[in-house]
Amino acid sequence: RDNFMKKSQFVPNWMFLQWLSQLVSVLDKPEGEAVLNILISVATDYPQALYYPLKVSATQYKFPSTPDGNRLRHSVASLQARVDNPVLNMFCVALEQLSNPELVWKDILESELNAVMERTCEQRDKKALTAIWEEIKARLIQDCQQTQTGTEENSSLYGNTPKQWGQRYRAFSKEFGNKIIQTFGKEGEKLLKMNQKEFATNKNKLAK
């Protein structure tokens, strides 16, 4: 790793552009330290090239609860801030509106939530659960928040992105949003204490 870090300093950053997806995929792993400086350099010179690969990989990161893991987590947050782009944020939000909200919900419920909830209450990754719940709120049950001036709150896709929701997403939020919150809690807090059998029962009800 040290040899790679040393020699990669002499490689022009544009030569790594075709490997960005592979590089960002290891940021939450021990190898992340080795590629971080490369990605920081790319983020400075080619932020748009890094924007989408980092956005996609960031949803799957699971940083270990160690000093190295925490350091990488903060470094990745800084990297995300470097490539954040309001125009690309809104473009990605618009692309999300092309998907069916029922299918988005089913995918989150069956894959992301199910993977965390299959563990016992004591073994669950609370940070992962919180991240999933924030995704649910942002994508499915949290409509545009208007400020007192009538404008949307500024943010990014990595946080509470302002949304221009289409008719299907508004209808889904209106019909199922309260049911999801009543079942799992306003901040998803009920998921922390819900056993596997209870989750399976609630999942089946909400999947219909």
Side-chain angles (χ1 to χ4, degrees):
R1 188 179 76 171
D2 292 339
N3 194 37
F4 173 83
M5 294 175 68
K6 182 178 179 179
K7 292 189 175 183
S8 63
Q9 297 177 32
F10 303 102
V11 179
N13 57 12
W14 62 265
M15 296 189 70
F16 292 102
L17 294 180
Q18 62 179 324
W19 309 108
L20 289 181
S21 295
Q22 289 79 7
L23 294 176
V24 297
S25 69
V26 301
L27 278 176
D28 61 333
K29 300 174 177 60
E31 297 86 351
E33 291 278 3
V35 303
L36 186 58
N37 286 335
I38 295 172
L39 294 174
I40 290 174
S41 177
V42 171
T44 301
D45 294 337
Y46 309 99
Q48 292 188 19
L50 183 57
Y51 175 90
Y52 199 71
L54 183 59
K55 176 186 179 296
V56 171
S57 291
T59 62
Q60 305 297 324
Y61 288 153
K62 295 181 180 179
F63 296 96
S65 300
T66 62
D68 287 344
N70 291 331
R71 185 168 59 253
L72 274 174
R73 181 184 290 107
H74 291 304
S75 296
V76 170
S78 177
L79 192 63
Q80 290 173 328
R82 283 174 177 264
V83 302
D84 187 37
N85 184 312
V87 175
L88 290 178
N89 291 344
M90 295 309 297
F91 177 70
C92 288
V93 169
L95 286 179
E96 286 183 2
Q97 297 298 302
L98 298 177
S99 57
N100 189 309
E102 286 81 5
L103 294 180
V104 172
W105 168 239
K106 185 176 181 180
D107 183 57
I108 294 174
L109 193 63
E110 295 289 347
S111 58
E112 298 181 47
L113 257 184
N114 202 56
V116 177
M117 295 299 292
E118 65 183 6
R119 297 177 177 272
T120 64
C121 294
E122 295 76 15
Q123 295 176 325
R124 283 173 197 158
D125 186 336
K126 294 182 180 180
K127 290 182 179 179
L129 199 56
T130 298
I132 294 170
W133 185 252
E134 288 301 318
E135 179 188 1
I136 292 171
K137 287 198 304 180
R139 297 185 67 184
L140 295 169
I141 60 176
Q142 191 176 61
D143 207 336
C144 293
Q145 299 296 315
Q146 302 292 325
T147 63
Q148 292 181 349
T149 60
T151 59
E152 291 178 340
E153 296 176 346
N154 294 323
S155 190
S156 73
L157 263 181
Y158 298 108
N160 296 318
T161 311
K163 277 183 173 288
Q164 296 288 346
W165 280 19
Q167 183 177 357
R168 288 192 301 174
Y169 277 79
R170 291 183 184 277
F172 180 90
S173 180
K174 183 177 181 180
E175 183 176 356
F176 293 103
N178 285 334
K179 293 180 182 178
I180 295 172
I181 290 174
Q182 289 171 4
T183 303
F184 296 144
K186 187 176 181 180
E187 298 299 329
E189 66 275 5
K190 293 182 180 180
L191 287 166
L192 295 174
K193 300 179 180 179
M194 190 175 293
N195 62 42
Q196 294 161 320
K197 184 176 181 181
E198 290 172 334
F199 174 71
T201 300
N202 288 320
K203 182 182 73 171
N204 290 335
K205 290 180 180 178
L206 292 171
K208 294 180 179 179

